Amino acid sequence: MLRRSLSRLVAFLLEPLAWPCSRSALVMMSHLLPPQLHCWQCHMDANSPQCAGEEKRVGTRTVVVGHRPVSEADAYVAQKFCDNRIVSSKYTVWNFLPKNLFEQFRRIANFYFLIIFLVQVIVDTPTSPVTSGLPLFFVITVTAIKQGYEDWLRHRADNEVNKSNVFIIENAKQVQKESEKIKVGDIVEVKADETFPCDLIFLASSSTDGTCYVTTASLDGESNFKTHYAVRDTTVLCTDEAIDSLTATIECEQPQPDLYKFVGRIIMHRSNQEPVARSLGPENLLLKGATLKNTKKIYGVAVYTGMETKMALNYQGKSQKRSAVEKSINAFLIVYLCILLSKATVCTTLKYVWQSNPFNDEPWYNEKTKKERETFKVLRMFTDFLSFMVLFNFIIPVSMYVTVEMQKFLGSFFISWDKEMYDEEMEEGALVNTSDLNEELGQVEFVFTDKTGTLTENSMEFIECCIDGHKYKGCISEVDGFSQTDGTLKYYGKAEKSREELFLRALCLCHTVRIKQADQVDGLIGHPECKNTYISSSPDEIALVKGAEKYGFTFLGLENDFMKIRNQKNETEMYQLLHTLNFDPVRRRMSVIVRTTTGKLLLFCKGADSSIFPRVQQEEIQQTKVHVDRNALDGYRTLCVAFKELTQKEYDRIDRQLNEAKMALQDREEKMAKVFEDTEADMHLIGATAVEDRLQEQSAETIEALHAAGMKVWVLTGDKMETAKSTCYACRLFQTSTELLELTARVVGESERKEDRLHELLMDYHKRLIQDVPKPRGSLKRSWTLSQEYGLIIDGSTLSLILNPSQDSSSSHYKNIFLQICLKCTAVLCCRMAPLQKAQIVRMVKNTKGSPITLSIGDGANDVSMILEAHVGIGIKGKEGRQAARNSDYAVPKFKHLRKLLLAHGHLYYVRIAHLVQYFFYKNLCFILPQFLYQFFCGFSQQPLYDAAYLTMYNICFTSLPILAYSLLEQHINIDTLTSDPQLYMKVSDNAMLQWRPFLYWTFLGAFEGLVFFFGVYFLFQNSSLEDNGKVFGNWTFGTIVFTVLVFTVTLKTGIFDLPILVSYKRIENGYVKTEDALTNLAERYPLRIL
């Protein structure tokens, strides 16, 4: 009772407020409020007729079109939605300083030096606070200037967008406003070649059919024109006066980042008539950032503005990836921090041992004050310890972080500037989305690649088709045709004429292709024999429509919901398009429902064989399956075509169910999927098509090079096994000598014993690859190649059994056995993979023992999950859109460019940054060790050896620029040699140059040279009177000479960096490259350096 009363009170308080649309607020309220208030934004109870079926609707918004209330009797309170300002910047003038400082001091090194600086200020230390404060100030200032400049560029870009002019329809007139002043509910007019200023619901256009063409290159990179449709009842409102008379409300979901999903409905109110409701989907939503093409103007109502647009939401929340080099730096920092603590502890201890002698503790010339005598000894020891920490703190290279960032940022331009990675056809080169992973490109062990559009061109060409088991290849005439029967039949024949025409009509009708005149559309694939241009977001569909045209059936376009085709007799046929059941990756098929001029209702469906075969008559499958399997072995992409005739009663039921599902605001996709499933059942198979997707140029050579470089290549694809296997042989992933191990539904079976059968296969493969094979000599991490090469093929259904075994089975160890088998195979093919399964495969390998570096490369939206999951994500700027390139770390035009990206750029970036990191630790140890040794000769009095200016400027000026230049420009091996000899990649693999052995080498080298610097000058000063006049050189002279020799030595060290790398080469290759040969090659390349 109390809860009910409280609910009513909250409802009473909320009802007149029409709260704003903050997503976080809505989510919080949905948990706090009772169910009947979850629909509060609609100002109606969830049990009312208007909300029927929406009992669970949470997080929706109501938009009043044109800010005109439905009824003048109702009080209209404007809802407070977010404005249309785009804010991509992080800082403002007021919060830049505190926010930037807070972010910078979150880094351990910066915070450490801040503490040291404060100690110097508070405690009486031997060095001035300037010595640590100035380098810290330099690092903080440089970083702040860089981040401030980048943020200023963001502010400037934001202002260009926010201050651009737009036209709003108010009181039947156009009013020019700035873009940032658009409000949710405003009716906006957009003209040709303009970008949409916010997310709009498409109401009307200059086209009579209520369509417009849009390019979304700035959102997902797709250059193909996409067709959008206005709301059916508002298409006639194509003038300012007409559109201003519209009285309607829009109910839609709260903002979410998926570009391809939208759920809503529009309710139009007319005087003295019942309100009319229409469903809204992604085809009605015009996204901010997209561009209007080939349409004079459109009208739309703003539903999402500013930071709630899908474009703004899509550029937020990308996960941060860390490279292995950063982890090595942190480990080395801990070692040097331990060295620092040890030095401070030793000096503090020896100081009090030294002062145990009263004469040393209080000499006659330096008596203690009363305050010093009364200070607690423990406090004095702690103060001395801090003083020694301050004196030796320069062993921690604070400026290394800035230098590493500059090296990564500036070095990334070499990838973008590489002319060999520029594609003239696409007129684009490589793109670097993040420079933090440059060195990771030189450490890749596993490459996961998509097939279609990555290994292949994704440029489809219709090859042949099959109708009732009869193969058609070439052109057919009206009278007769050429066909060949698949299967065991040995004679030539052809299908019935009616079946041929039915099949070709299906190809002409079952698609989403649109037609535009060639002289009005630029940059699209034109038909060579006519003036029309086919427009589609899928190259498969264009290939099939052109294939039907080869056989005499031509698609003429869609006009007023009627599809027109020209048949073999040159007659025009009209079909009313009633419904389109769009393609999605889960169903792997699409359908259309059309009505003929005679009133007959037909459903045509096309899709993958695995999706079509279970939904047709089983006796019709075999004759077509033979053809499909043969085409798959030839490497062609296959689609099956089916149909069924609907009665008027069946169509009425389907129409009602589809409309109900489309009107749902919650779980719309699930409801529509259920209707699709029920509709696409009990069909009749007509035939199949074969489309060729040619292999990309040099993809086979690239895979061979990656194999030779010690990388394993796995192909993850959604295609069927036979097609994918044929492609793998063509691109040399599988060799003729490769023995293939298969874990597919065909081998495992579909019976209840399939888990037992899977267990038997896994144990058999495990025994063959691991138990019966002797362990290789040596401990090379990449010694995975066996005397007999093995390849593994697995499909999605079997992978589900392995990764998600049933609860009652004893198969929890399937995953480990499967992983061991995969790691012993030279190549793995995963077919029939869902996008989520691709990411699961990558995650499984990434989390194995040793954490191997993984790389994923793909070109489509279905590859984004694995690209984000891998250590390094590569996007191909392909024909399936730019979702992959937009979400990747690096983007390249073609798969062949991966070879140079890894073998040349990756190798060089890793060597350069490894030298940079080791060099910084080395030079700082050289710098601070003489300071430590000097304490033994000054009674541990914390007397600095170097002048304060030298302490301050050592890392900032004297030693920073040479190593930065080296780390940007050094090529220890010619780029052509790196590209042509992939085995050079293995020399620096497994983080070889940042392992403990090279690190200790550099550490001992720094310690040795520090000893030489100090004691060399020390023995030189045995006779302190070095001038004829008897002038004695003192402490300043001694320290300056040590510092001068030190700076010259560590600077010249950058010129002989090739020598230490030979140590790691010999170590990791275990004799593969002999030191003598390497020295000879080095002398040939750099004769002056060896001398």
Side-chain angles (χ1 to χ4, degrees), residues 4 7-8 33-40 44-47 55:
R4 188 180 307 157
S7 302
R8 290 174 179 173
L33 299 181
Q36 64 265 29
L37 292 181
H38 287 177
C39 200
W40 55 270
M44 59 182 72
D45 191 272
N47 298 320
E55 292 81 359

Side-chain angles (χ1 to χ4, degrees), residues 1009-1076:
E1009 293 184 1
L1011 289 169
V1012 171
F1013 298 152
F1014 181 82
F1015 286 107
V1017 179
Y1018 174 77
F1019 288 119
L1020 182 66
F1021 268 61
Q1022 289 300 304
N1023 181 8
S1024 58
S1025 297
L1026 297 180
E1027 294 190 8
D1028 295 337
N1029 59 6
K1031 183 178 179 181
V1032 177
F1033 290 161
N1035 175 70
W1036 184 89
T1037 308
F1038 182 83
T1040 301
I1041 294 176
V1042 172
F1043 184 80
T1044 304
V1045 176
L1046 163 70
V1047 170
F1048 273 94
T1049 304
V1050 298
T1051 302
L1052 292 174
K1053 180 66 71 176
T1054 57
I1056 52 174
F1057 258 129
D1058 285 313
L1059 294 178
I1061 197 174
L1062 300 177
V1063 178
S1064 60
Y1065 280 3
K1066 185 176 181 180
R1067 177 180 65 80
I1068 67 164
E1069 290 301 322
N1070 196 20
Y1072 182 82
V1073 175
K1074 296 181 180 179
T1075 306
E1076 298 81 13

Side-chain angles (χ1 to χ4, degrees), residues 567-584:
N567 59 25
Q568 295 171 343
K569 299 176 181 179
N570 210 25
E571 299 171 345
T572 299
E573 301 178 2
M574 302 282 287
Y575 295 86
Q576 184 182 5
L577 179 62
L578 301 175
H579 286 287
T580 300
L581 283 56
N582 290 318
F583 174 88
D584 64 70

Side-chain angles (χ1 to χ4, degrees), residues 21 61-67 76 79-84 181-187 198 301-306 308:
C21 61
R61 61 167 53 181
T62 299
V63 177
V64 179
V65 178
H67 307 290
Y76 172 65
Q79 300 184 45
K80 295 181 180 179
F81 295 107
C82 130
D83 60 29
N84 199 39
K181 295 182 180 178
I182 295 177
K183 299 177 182 178
V184 171
D186 283 346
I187 298 177
C198 57
V301 57
V303 286
Y304 304 131
T305 53
E308 292 181 339

Side-chain angles (χ1 to χ4, degrees), residues 703-979:
I703 287 182
E704 279 189 330
L706 298 181
H707 270 299
M711 286 174 262
K712 288 189 178 182
V713 181
W714 293 25
V715 175
L716 313 181
T717 178
D719 273 0
K720 62 182 302 180
M721 186 188 76
E722 290 78 8
T723 306
K725 185 162 69 171
S726 175
T727 303
C728 288
Y729 274 113
C731 66
R732 303 173 199 166
L733 184 72
F734 293 154
Q735 305 292 334
T736 53
S737 59
T738 303
E739 182 177 345
L740 296 182
L741 310 176
E742 194 172 321
L743 288 172
T744 61
R746 183 174 63 85
V747 177
V748 174
E750 297 293 338
S751 64
E752 296 180 357
R753 290 190 63 255
K754 59 183 176 182
E755 290 196 356
D756 296 333
R757 175 60 179 158
L758 176 61
H759 180 74
E760 294 173 6
L761 288 171
L762 286 173
M763 296 310 297
D764 177 43
Y765 296 160
H766 186 269
K767 183 174 183 297
R768 203 186 313 179
L769 268 69
I770 298 169
Q771 297 177 4
D772 294 347
V773 176
K775 293 184 178 180
R777 296 181 180 179
S779 59
L780 285 179
K781 191 174 179 181
R782 298 199 182 194
S783 60
W784 44 264
T785 304
L786 307 175
S787 56
Q788 169 64 48
E789 289 190 354
Y790 289 93
L792 179 69
I793 301 176
I794 185 170
D795 61 10
S797 58
T798 310
L799 182 67
S800 297
L801 282 178
I802 293 173
L803 298 181
N804 307 299
S806 60
Q807 296 295 327
D808 57 347
S809 69
S810 59
S811 54
S812 58
H813 62 297
Y814 281 0
K815 184 176 176 180
N816 291 332
I817 298 175
F818 169 68
L819 187 57
Q820 292 177 35
I821 295 171
C822 289
L823 296 180
K824 285 295 180 180
C825 291
T826 55
V828 177
L829 167 62
C830 302
C831 50
R832 297 298 197 194
M833 290 284 117
L836 183 60
Q837 288 180 313
K838 293 184 178 184
Q840 286 178 322
I841 288 283
V842 176
R843 189 183 306 117
M844 179 183 69
V845 175
K846 188 173 74 169
N847 295 333
T848 56
K849 185 178 179 181
S851 300
I853 303 301
T854 57
L855 179 147
S856 293
I857 180 169
D859 72 318
N862 59 333
D863 303 315
V864 169
S865 56
M866 73 171 183
I867 285 174
L868 294 177
E869 184 64 43
H871 292 95
V872 182
I874 310 291
I876 299 286
K877 298 177 178 180
K879 298 180 180 179
E880 289 189 15
R882 299 295 173 88
Q883 300 97 317
R886 185 164 49 85
N887 287 278
S888 64
D889 303 305
Y890 303 87
V892 293
K894 301 288 184 183
F895 181 77
K896 66 179 181 180
H897 298 133
L898 185 64
R899 177 174 184 169
K900 186 173 184 182
L901 184 67
L902 298 184
L903 302 187
H905 290 290
H907 182 110
L908 290 175
Y909 282 135
Y910 176 76
V911 170
R912 290 166 179 169
I913 202 163
H915 280 151
L916 185 149
V917 170
Q918 300 281 27
Y919 177 79
F920 259 92
F921 285 107
Y922 151 80
K923 73 181 182 67
N924 279 34
L925 183 59
C926 286
F927 178 57
I928 216 64
L929 184 61
Q931 179 76 75
F932 172 72
L933 296 173
Y934 185 65
Q935 298 307 305
F936 288 86
F937 296 90
C938 67
F940 304 98
S941 61
Q942 300 151 10
Q943 171 68 35
L945 173 63
Y946 308 115
D947 187 88
Y950 298 153
L951 288 171
T952 305
M953 306 306 290
Y954 178 73
N955 281 316
I956 297 178
C957 295
F958 289 113
T959 58
S960 59
L961 292 181
I963 185 60
L964 176 61
Y966 175 92
S967 63
L968 288 172
L969 304 174
E970 170 64 10
Q971 290 185 21
H972 66 291
I973 299 177
N974 185 272
I975 287 184
D976 293 335
T977 305
L978 287 172
T979 309

Side-chain angles (χ1 to χ4, degrees), residues 240-299:
D240 296 347
E241 294 78 11
I243 199 70
D244 192 60
S245 65
L246 175 65
T247 302
T249 57
I250 294 174
E251 297 173 8
C252 59
E253 62 187 357
Q254 287 294 346
Q256 52 98 356
D258 195 321
L259 296 174
Y260 309 102
K261 290 183 180 178
F262 176 75
V263 175
R265 62 188 173 197
I266 182 170
I267 303 172
M268 288 160 287
H269 302 267
R270 300 183 179 116
S271 58
N272 302 322
Q273 294 184 17
E274 288 292 323
V276 177
R278 301 293 182 203
S279 64
L280 299 174
E283 69 277 4
N284 308 116
L285 184 67
L286 303 173
L287 300 178
K288 176 182 177 65
T291 304
L292 182 66
K293 293 289 185 180
N294 295 100
T295 309
K296 291 182 180 179
K297 67 176 181 178
I298 65 99
Y299 294 104

